[in-house]
């Protein structure tokens, strides 16, 4: 068990007082059998009226509305979690899904719905052909296939940190051979979807105590990865940025069909065209020593 403290601050600065329109926040860690949320506190300056809800995936959503004009916006999220994900997990995959290709049960296929459909155009099946090249035989081991695709991304595409918002389309990532963690996650999800797997994008935090993992130059950062649904095992985590499988070092906040639906802070304002000055994000993930 690893007890972690997570501080995520987002700061916006403007040249003048602006009218902040409603903002949507996704910053509350998502509980699971591998992660227990011990506490969470959200502070917003200027003061906002907030309401909580859950989206279609069960992610915790905050809607913040503002009454006063301001030359800045600061959102602070403080969380404490227990992370119990194994470093070397073993997955109990159903016999029917050990080898690929396999067929999802009808009810699973219905429930997966859009999660099994490609979200980006691939008219020439370029991405599908790229993914098919990892299929060693017919049949082939399902877990090995997924691991090979994840490793193939990390081996052929260089990681780059991109501060600007947005995500590259998968074919652009393949062509540029460079991408951020969110680009890697989207490429992996789309590649396995092209082969018939159900996949979802996960956004959250990376715990990087030794500062050896890609995606963070400090001991923690925001991060993105992918989960693939395999009968028997359920949702299996793949982080192609770090060539890893399983949830060790990963703290999920939101699972989505599309990475664009998992922005930690989103909203707008009314003001002059050049009112916006800057946006800064700071994340600190620290291990809390537990007395023996």
């Amino acid at each position: 068990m690893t007890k972690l403290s997570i501080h995520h601050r987002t700061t916006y600065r403007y040249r003048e007082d602006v009218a902040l329109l409603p903002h949507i926040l996704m910053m509350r860690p998502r509980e699971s059998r591998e992660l227990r949320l011990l506490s969470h506190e959200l502070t917003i300056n200027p003061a906002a009226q907030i309401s909580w809800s859950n989206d279609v995936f069960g992610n915790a959503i905050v809607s913040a509305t503002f009454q006063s004009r301001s030359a800045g916006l600061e959102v602070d999220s403080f969380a404490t979690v227990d992370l119990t994900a194994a470093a070397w997990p073993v997955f109990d995959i159903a016999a029917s899904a050990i080898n690929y290709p396999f067929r999802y049960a009808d009810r699973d296929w219905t429930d997966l719905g859009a999660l099994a459909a490609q979200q980006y155009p691939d008219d020439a099946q370029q991405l599908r052909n790229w993914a098919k090249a990892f299929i060693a035989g017919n049949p082939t081991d399902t877990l090995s296939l997924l691991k090979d695709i994840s490793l193939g991304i990390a081996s052929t595409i260089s990681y780059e940190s991109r501060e600007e918002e947005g995500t590259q389309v998968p074919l652009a990532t393949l062509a540029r051979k460079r991408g951020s963690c969110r680009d890697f996650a989207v490429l992996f999800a789309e590649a396995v979807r092209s082969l018939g797997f159900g996949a979802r994008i996960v956004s959250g935090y990376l715990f990087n105590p030794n500062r050896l993992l890609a995606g963070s130059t400090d001991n923690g950062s925001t991060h993105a990865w992918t989960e693939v649904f395999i009968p028997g095992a359920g949702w299996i985590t793949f982080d192609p940025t770090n060539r890893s499988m399983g949830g060790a070092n990963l703290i999920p906040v939101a699972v989505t069909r599309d990475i664009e639906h998992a922005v930690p802070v989103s909203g707008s304002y009314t003001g002059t065209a050049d009112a916006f000055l800057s946006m800064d994000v700071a994340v600190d993930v620290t291990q809390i020593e537990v007395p023996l």
Side-chain angles (χ1 to χ4, degrees):
M1 180 179 67
T2 304
K3 190 174 184 180
L4 301 173
S5 170
I6 305 161
H7 180 199
H8 181 178
R9 171 179 291 173
T10 302
T11 306
Y12 294 87
R13 300 296 181 202
Y14 306 98
R15 297 182 188 276
E16 60 195 30
D17 286 350
V18 299
L20 296 168
L21 300 179
H23 280 57
I24 300 298
L25 316 177
M26 299 180 70
M27 305 177 83
R28 186 181 190 272
R30 181 184 173 99
E31 293 193 84
S32 69
R33 69 180 185 276
E34 296 180 336
L35 185 137
R36 185 161 64 101
L37 180 62
L38 302 178
S39 66
H40 182 243
E41 179 183 358
L42 194 66
T43 61
I44 304 172
N45 185 31
Q49 181 177 353
I50 68 171
S51 61
W52 287 88
S53 63
N54 295 95
D55 67 9
V56 68
F57 288 104
N59 302 312
I61 307 293
V62 166
S63 177
T65 55
F66 303 88
Q67 302 302 319
S68 60
R69 298 174 67 87
S70 176
L73 170 62
E74 187 171 275
V75 180
D76 276 286
S77 172
F78 302 88
T80 306
V81 302
D82 273 341
L83 182 62
T84 60
W88 304 101
V90 176
F91 301 104
D92 188 16
I93 297 174
S96 63
I98 288 177
N99 291 319
Y100 175 89
F102 65 87
R103 186 178 186 277
Y104 285 113
D106 289 344
R107 66 179 184 180
D108 287 342
W109 185 250
T110 298
D111 291 339
L112 287 169
L115 295 177
Q118 289 179 251
Q119 307 297 307
Y120 297 85
D122 186 26
D123 296 336
Q125 296 196 337
Q126 181 180 345
L127 180 60
R128 175 173 167 77
N129 290 334
W130 179 85
K132 285 174 65 177
F134 292 94
I135 301 175
N138 188 7
T140 193
D141 182 79
T142 298
L143 197 57
S144 295
L145 169 60
L146 295 170
K147 289 168 64 177
D148 287 347
I149 295 174
S150 179
L151 291 172
I153 292 173
S155 299
T156 60
I157 300 173
S158 299
Y159 172 79
E160 67 175 0
S161 176
R162 287 190 296 107
E163 298 299 328
E164 66 269 21
E165 296 181 2
T167 304
Q168 293 177 168
V169 300
L171 292 180
T173 303
L174 283 179
R176 289 188 68 236
K177 296 190 182 300
R178 300 188 67 85
S180 68
C181 63
R182 57 188 184 270
D183 302 321
F184 281 39
V186 169
L187 173 57
F188 180 79
E190 287 290 279
V192 301
R193 284 168 176 164
S194 77
L195 299 180
F197 291 96
R200 61 189 189 184
I201 309 293
V202 189
S203 69
Y205 305 105
L206 173 69
F207 176 48
N208 187 15
N210 299 320
R211 303 188 181 186
L212 298 176
L213 300 175
S216 173
T217 57
D218 209 335
N219 61 338
S221 67
T222 56
H223 197 54
W225 59 96
T226 308
E227 293 178 347
V228 182
F229 186 78
I230 305 296
W235 292 102
I236 297 180
T237 296
F238 291 88
D239 180 8
T241 302
N242 287 297
R243 308 170 181 236
S244 65
M245 183 174 60
N249 296 88
L250 300 174
I251 303 99
V253 169
V255 299
T256 64
R257 171 181 54 83
D258 188 327
I259 190 67
E260 302 300 330
H261 300 162
V263 179
V265 179
S266 60
S268 57
Y269 65 90
T270 56
T272 59
D274 64 346
F276 178 77
L277 281 176
S278 65
M279 180 190 77
D280 297 304
V281 177
V283 175
D284 184 47
V285 183
T286 307
Q287 184 168 357
I288 301 172
E289 296 299 329
V290 179
L292 297 177

